Amino acid sequence: MSNHRSATSNPRPAGDDTSCVAADDKKHDGPGSSITSSDARTAPLTMDSLISTLESTLSTSPCGIDGIDSEDDGKIGTISTLNHDFMASRQDWYGASLKYWDDVKPTVDGMLGGYANLSPSDLAASNKFLRHVQRNKRPDLQFGASCECGAGIGRVTKGLFLPLNFTQCDLVEASAELISHAPEYIDDPGGGSTSQHLTSNPASSKCRFFCTGLEEFEPKPNTYDVVWVQWCIIYLTDLDCINFLRRMGTSLRDGGILVI
């Protein structure tokens, strides 16, 4: 799964100061204090507990909890039935996404579904947004370590984090084909996907590359100042999304933010 892209719809430009931020869900006991999180917020959520919560909540809803399968018009009686059918194809769900992005050209145009012209304005708005958050919302936010989720070839790392002088930039991407091109793209001063101008200290030397899906990525706690999840969270199942956000929340440093 890669940043700024969708296999089923065209990407749309990110907003500026109205972008969504989820701050770290940690308790601060004062300067220099340790960061603590309750087990309830950090332990992986199980599908059984998620279904139980959903059914309990929806049982009081006038809408009910049944529905229709859009593919064969069959009625789905319960959330449990829907989940059973879906989990049987979970591997196909992620496999189809990976196959699609493995076939996409490792260029900015490929990452943005043919809308490379949007990239400069998108990155400028994102830069403005981060500076606004640091200046007006989170003065203790540091531009130290970043994580670009669904990174593709590293468009956001190259165009946003490195210009802001982040000292460590992690890129997480499921497609081995795309992430293999990331160092070349990041080091190319011309912005292309290949480079003939590598220096003795290339920009990619600040980067670490993780070839794994977001559903399997498990960073260490207290690692990142900024976690960036842009136009890729749609590729996660509901349960994987919840557990992913919990893990990434735990990975935030004191004052860190998660941007969706």
Side-chain angles (χ1 to χ4, degrees):
M1 58 193 68
S2 191
N3 201 23
H4 278 72
R5 42 195 212 212
S6 169
T8 57
S9 62
N10 291 331
R12 51 190 176 85
D16 46 18
D17 291 353
T18 61
S19 300
C20 177
V21 176
D24 60 332
D25 189 16
K26 298 172 181 174
K27 296 180 180 179
H28 305 273
D29 298 323
S33 63
S34 61
I35 302 170
T36 60
S37 298
S38 67
D39 291 341
R41 284 179 288 181
T42 58
L45 184 70
T46 65
M47 182 55 76
D48 287 343
S49 61
L50 176 60
I51 289 176
S52 176
T53 300
L54 288 172
E55 290 181 333
S56 175
T57 302
L58 293 175
S59 64
T60 60
S61 170
C63 298
I65 60 173
D66 59 353
I68 301 295
D69 188 329
S70 60
E71 293 186 359
D72 60 14
D73 294 328
K75 185 173 182 179
I76 302 171
T78 67
I79 294 175
S80 296
T81 301
L82 174 63
N83 173 67
H84 179 272
D85 293 342
F86 177 78
M87 290 304 290
S89 61
R90 182 175 182 271
Q91 185 174 357
D92 293 336
W93 170 269
Y94 288 114
S97 175
L98 182 59
K99 183 179 184 301
Y100 178 89
W101 291 110
D102 277 343
D103 292 336
V104 168
K105 290 184 178 180
T107 62
V108 172
D109 204 50
M111 299 302 95
L112 296 183
Y115 291 89
N117 60 302
L118 296 180
S119 189
S121 57
D122 170 70
L123 293 170
S126 296
N127 184 299
K128 178 182 177 182
F129 168 68
L130 277 185
R131 291 182 181 276
H132 168 78
V133 170
Q134 187 184 54
R135 182 173 60 253
N136 300 302
K137 303 294 185 180
R138 188 63 66 86
D140 55 343
L141 172 63
Q142 302 296 312
F143 291 166
S146 65
C147 181
E148 181 183 358
C149 298
I153 60 174
R155 186 186 71 89
V156 173
T157 293
K158 177 174 181 171
L160 177 63
F161 297 138
L162 290 172
L164 287 173
N165 295 317
F166 277 76
T167 55
Q168 177 183 304
C169 303
D170 286 358
L171 292 79
V172 183
E173 170 57 50
S175 171
E177 176 64 23
L178 292 179
I179 203 167
S180 68
H181 288 84
E184 287 184 300
Y185 167 72
I186 290 171
D187 291 333
D188 179 12
S193 59
T194 60
S195 175
Q196 302 294 327
H197 309 285
L198 298 182
T199 67
S200 58
N201 188 27
S204 63
S205 64
K206 294 183 178 181
C207 302
R208 300 189 301 177
F209 304 91
F210 297 85
C211 185
T212 185
L214 299 185
E215 72 278 7
E216 297 177 344
F217 183 55
E218 297 188 7
K220 295 180 180 179
N222 195 34
T223 299
Y224 301 119
D225 297 293
V226 176
V227 172
W228 198 267
V229 189
Q230 187 172 359
W231 294 340
C232 61
I233 206 166
I234 59 172
Y235 294 104
L236 292 171
T237 67
D238 291 350
L239 181 64
D240 286 338
C241 181
I242 292 170
N243 285 324
F244 164 73
L245 292 175
R246 287 185 168 189
R247 293 194 304 272
M248 300 315 294
T250 303
S251 77
L252 292 174
R253 292 174 175 171
D254 198 7
I257 60 173
L258 189 157
V259 184
I260 299 176

